[in-house]
Amino acid sequence: SSGINAEYGYLVMDRNLVTPRDTDVMVATYPRSGTGLTLNICRAIHMVHNPDLPGDHPFYNKAPRHQTPWIHNEHNTVLPESMPSPRVFKTHNYYPHLNVPAGKMRIIHTFRNPKDVVCSHFIHMTRFKHMEELFGFQGSFTDCVEQFLNGGFETSCYWRFNREFFDNKDDHTILHVNYESLTLRKREEVRRINEFLGYQPLDEEQMERVVKATSLDYDNLRKNQVGRPGAAATKLTKEQRARYDVRCREEFGDVKGVPECYFSEESYMSNVIE
């Protein structure tokens, strides 16, 4: 392959870069689907439950790539095996390339409405010249919308990527979380993630700390049209949104937990953050 697929090829090559521990969690996402927000929530939950973590723990590092590294990346500055517990990893690998034994690591699969993912992806790919070269994409926004609908970018097909995690054929320990709930009903989702990580329920003071530490700057998101739910309301035409709704229904219509806004124009528009 070319572009980003070739660049990321090493991510799936080595099955032995990480030995799973009981407290490990891996956040698995298709790119532009809430990776950073989910990682930060996991990190914040761990920190409120473990106030005595040493000051040199990666969670205190100012660089996100050191706090929560890629799980299978031989170019990590911080080697996963050398990290103290608890550890939080991230991956954009397809489900067959998770490269960890089933049941040995908690996995949070965060997914996001494809109508918004494609809007974020276009900005991500075209913001800088080197990104255009890395992704091998130099088309228009309309080109991006069509290519994403019919395949995708970076880890290739959005539809295949998420469907394989929904199917979970190898019986990994997976919590499915949608980005819309993470942003619009954060406390409810934080409680779910906290329980999934094996902790006692958060008290109100702990919950406030997690929410405050992971709050999105909606003024900035509004300006950049990247992270807010409902970006496609102004970026995609109604006809384009309808085609995405049809594809979503075909791919995920039988999946429990996929929000109605993935299939319905009316439901989608009601989630738009002005």
Side-chain angles (χ1 to χ4, degrees), residues 2 8 14-15 33-34 41 69 79 103 114 117 157 160 165 272:
S2 61
Y8 277 15
D14 192 335
R15 292 176 178 270
S33 297
I41 288 174
L79 295 178
V117 175
C157 183
R160 175 190 160 194
F165 275 93
V272 173

Side-chain angles (χ1 to χ4, degrees), residues 86-246:
R87 304 183 298 183
V88 179
F89 299 115
K90 57 192 171 189
T91 187
H92 291 326
N93 282 9
Y94 273 114
Y95 180 91
H97 301 301
L98 288 176
N99 299 340
V100 294
K104 296 296 184 179
M105 184 180 293
R106 295 178 175 92
I107 298 170
I108 298 177
H109 166 228
T110 301
F111 60 100
R112 183 183 181 189
N113 197 311
K115 296 186 284 288
D116 291 342
V117 175
V118 71
C119 295
S120 181
H121 238 308
F122 181 72
I123 295 174
H124 181 59
M125 291 190 298
T126 60
R127 180 174 293 175
F128 303 106
K129 183 66 176 177
H130 76 277
M131 295 300 289
E132 291 182 358
E133 296 173 353
L134 184 62
F135 284 95
F137 177 83
Q138 297 181 340
S140 66
F141 179 64
T142 299
D143 295 332
C144 179
V145 170
E146 292 301 315
Q147 187 169 336
F148 187 94
L149 186 64
N150 296 312
F153 309 93
E154 196 162 344
T155 46
S156 192
C157 183
Y158 165 95
W159 317 100
R160 175 190 160 194
F161 180 95
N162 287 296
R163 183 72 216 200
E164 289 181 343
F165 275 93
F166 289 138
D167 289 344
N168 191 18
K169 292 181 178 179
D170 295 333
D171 292 324
H172 284 281
T173 305
I174 297 181
L175 177 70
H176 302 286
V177 177
N178 70 78
Y179 181 81
E180 292 69 33
S181 292
L182 273 185
T183 55
L184 302 176
R185 293 171 289 279
K186 178 182 282 188
R187 285 172 172 263
E188 177 182 334
E189 294 305 299
V190 167
R191 291 189 186 96
R192 291 181 65 224
I193 293 172
N194 180 76
E195 180 180 2
F196 183 71
L197 295 183
Y199 288 117
Q200 293 296 312
L202 295 162
D203 61 32
E204 186 58 29
E205 186 270 337
Q206 290 173 322
M207 175 64 76
E208 284 297 326
R209 288 169 57 192
V210 172
V211 169
K212 183 177 180 179
T214 59
S215 293
L216 292 170
D217 180 353
Y218 280 110
D219 287 336
N220 181 57
L221 296 177
R222 190 177 295 117
K223 179 180 72 172
N224 290 299
Q225 300 258 328
V226 176
R228 63 187 179 88
T234 57
K235 292 293 186 179
L236 298 183
T237 67
K238 187 172 182 179
E239 185 272 337
Q240 288 171 329
R241 293 195 300 270
R243 291 174 60 209
Y244 271 67
D245 289 345
V246 169

Side-chain angles (χ1 to χ4, degrees), residues 11 25 40 56 60 66 95 103 167 186 210 219 229:
L11 288 178
V25 61
N40 285 334
D56 60 352
Y60 290 106
H66 299 323
Y95 180 91
D167 289 344
K186 178 182 282 188
V210 172
D219 287 336

Side-chain angles (χ1 to χ4, degrees), residues 4 7-19 24-37 39 58-59 63-83 87-94 97-100 105 108 110 121 124 131 134-135 153-155 161 165:
I4 197 74
E7 188 73 15
Y8 277 15
Y10 60 81
L11 288 178
V12 300
M13 297 303 294
D14 192 335
R15 292 176 178 270
N16 301 312
L17 290 178
V18 174
T19 302
D24 285 346
V25 61
M26 173 167 51
V27 173
T29 58
Y30 186 87
R32 319 309 298 171
S33 297
T35 315
L37 178 57
L39 290 168
F59 287 165
R65 67 181 182 277
H66 299 323
Q67 297 168 357
T68 52
W70 297 103
I71 191 166
H72 296 107
N73 186 336
E74 62 191 9
H75 302 299
N76 279 328
T77 304
V78 177
L79 295 178
E81 282 299 277
S82 69
M83 293 173 60
R87 304 183 298 183
V88 179
F89 299 115
K90 57 192 171 189
T91 187
H92 291 326
N93 282 9
Y94 273 114
H97 301 301
L98 288 176
N99 299 340
V100 294
M105 184 180 293
I108 298 177
T110 301
H121 238 308
H124 181 59
M131 295 300 289
L134 184 62
F135 284 95
F153 309 93
E154 196 162 344
T155 46
F161 180 95
F165 275 93

